[in-house]
């Protein structure tokens, strides 16, 4: 049930591809909570996805932008402020891509040009988004910026490959830019480390189904769904979390604090 948590707030949501996307769910929840926002994605992702359907449902305009392009980001923020009728209160960075993972390149045989692309798209773009917003003075005071991360930033997981480095960099950028933006504009910056989620991007990682089941059994509350994450994002965009910044927030049903669980022990006994 909606509570008008975001009534009157304006935002930009990156990365909605299809109905399984966390960003898609965030847009639906933000709309229900009273926010207005623009939607954006890279042109190639827009051709692959169904963002027009989401835009119609949310009454939002779509502004194509390559998040690695400063020119595109300047256009995105400028037009968003114009369309929404004021400065931005929240931004969701839900972007991640690894050519090495997509093409099944072994971690001991990385293509380093692809690694550079992974870092630029999945992490450095987060810095570019905030640097652009700061230079354009596009964020309201007490605004909230979120990036979506994963526990592979702290632990090793098979087949996650160079995306783990991108997530570690993403979290580092959140801390460093979070300090700067809080000091200059009282804007808060955080990352949310989400459970493995059945998104188009997530299921592209090798062995995802097996790991999804393992994580579910290792989490006392089970895996957090995309909708659960969207509700958490809405709270982080709201005024109830004004003093939370520079944090990597675990949203994983308890996975990150569990050594082993009864459910997993029972499964291992069966095996």
């Amino acid at each position: 049930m909606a509570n008008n948590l975001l009534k009157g707030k304006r935002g930009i949501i990156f990365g909605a591809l299809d109905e399984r996307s966390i960003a898609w769910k965030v847009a639906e929840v933000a709309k229900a909570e009273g926010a207005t926002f623009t939607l954006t994605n890279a042109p190639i992702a827009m051709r692959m996805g169904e963002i027009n359907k989401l835009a119609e449902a949310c009454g939002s305009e779509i502004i194509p932008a390559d998040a690695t392009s400063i020119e595109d980001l300047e256009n995105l923020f400028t037009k968003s402020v114009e369309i929404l009728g004021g400065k931005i209160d929240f931004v969701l960075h839900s972007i991640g891509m690894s050519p090495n993972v997509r093409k099944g390149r072994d971690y001991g045989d990385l293509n380093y040009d692809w690694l550079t692309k992974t870092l630029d798209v999945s992490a450095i773009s987060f810095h570019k988004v905030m640097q652009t917003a700061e230079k354009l003075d596009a964020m309201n005071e007490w605004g909230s910026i979120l990036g979506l991360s994963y526990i592979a930033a702290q632990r090793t997981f098979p087949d996650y490959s160079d995306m783990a480095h991108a997530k570690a960099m993403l979290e580092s950028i959140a801390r460093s830019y979070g300090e700067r933006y809080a000091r200059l504009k009282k804007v808060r910056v955080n990352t949310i480390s989400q459970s493995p989620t059945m998104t188009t991007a997530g299921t592209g990682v090798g062995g995802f189904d097996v790991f999804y089941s393992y994580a579910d059994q290792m989490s006392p509350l089970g895996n957090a769904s995309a909708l659960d994450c969207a509700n958490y994002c809405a709270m982080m965009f709201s005024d109830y979390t004004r003093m939370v910044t520079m944090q990597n927030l675990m949203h994983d049903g308890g996975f990150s604090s569990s050594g082993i669980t009864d459910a997993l022990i029972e499964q291992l006994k069966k095996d």
Side-chain angles (χ1 to χ4, degrees), residues 144-178:
S144 177
I145 299 174
L146 289 178
L148 293 185
S149 191
Y150 184 54
I151 198 173
Q154 290 87 33
R155 302 183 189 175
T156 58
F157 292 92
D159 301 317
Y160 205 69
S161 191
D162 57 351
M163 275 301 297
H165 308 316
K167 293 303 186 185
M169 180 182 286
L170 182 84
E171 293 175 15
S172 177
I173 289 170
R175 288 186 294 271
S176 296
Y177 223 112

Side-chain angles (χ1 to χ4, degrees), residues 144 146 188 190 192 232-238 241 244 249:
S144 177
L146 289 178
R188 57 202 194 270
N190 297 285
I192 292 178
Y232 194 30
C233 289
M235 182 191 72
M236 293 304 301
F237 292 149
S238 79
T241 55
V244 181
L249 304 162

Side-chain angles (χ1 to χ4, degrees), residues 19-187:
E19 292 182 354
R20 297 198 297 173
S21 303
I22 292 173
W24 188 290
K25 299 298 184 187
V26 171
E28 291 178 333
V29 170
K31 173 66 176 178
E33 294 292 351
T36 56
F37 47 86
T38 56
L39 298 166
T40 186
N41 215 328
I44 186 171
M46 290 178 61
R47 291 193 295 271
M48 294 167 56
E50 304 171 352
I51 196 170
N52 289 318
K53 177 181 173 183
L54 178 65
E56 184 177 351
C58 294
S60 299
E61 291 199 34
I62 304 167
I63 306 173
D66 176 350
T68 68
S69 165
I70 297 298
E71 182 179 357
D72 281 10
L73 291 173
E74 288 174 342
N75 179 66
L76 170 64
F77 275 97
T78 300
K79 284 191 174 179
S80 293
V81 169
E82 291 174 359
I83 290 166
L84 299 173
K87 292 183 182 181
I88 305 303
D89 297 294
F90 67 87
V91 176
L92 176 71
H93 178 283
S94 181
I95 304 170
M97 186 278 292
S98 166
N100 281 298
V101 172
R102 281 187 180 178
K103 299 181 182 183
R105 196 71 175 247
D106 185 79
Y107 184 69
D109 187 34
L110 289 184
N111 179 309
Y112 291 118
D113 289 334
W114 295 351
L115 170 60
T116 299
K117 185 67 173 177
T118 298
L119 297 177
D120 196 20
V121 172
S122 308
I124 298 171
S125 64
F126 195 41
H127 191 285
K128 291 178 179 179
V129 165
M130 290 186 282
Q131 179 172 284
T132 301
E134 180 195 331
K135 288 186 175 182
L136 293 175
D137 192 22
M139 293 291 297
N140 273 322
E141 286 196 351
W142 300 106
S144 177
I145 299 174
L146 289 178
L148 293 185
S149 191
Y150 184 54
I151 198 173
Q154 290 87 33
R155 302 183 189 175
T156 58
F157 292 92
D159 301 317
Y160 205 69
S161 191
D162 57 351
M163 275 301 297
H165 308 316
K167 293 303 186 185
M169 180 182 286
L170 182 84
E171 293 175 15
S172 177
I173 289 170
R175 288 186 294 271
S176 296
Y177 223 112
E179 185 279 331
R180 177 182 178 84
Y181 233 159
R183 176 167 41 82
L184 295 177
K185 198 74 177 180
K186 292 182 169 49
V187 171

Side-chain angles (χ1 to χ4, degrees), residues 204-216:
V205 177
F208 182 83
D209 289 347
V210 174
F211 181 68
Y212 181 89
S213 176
Y214 164 77
D216 197 47

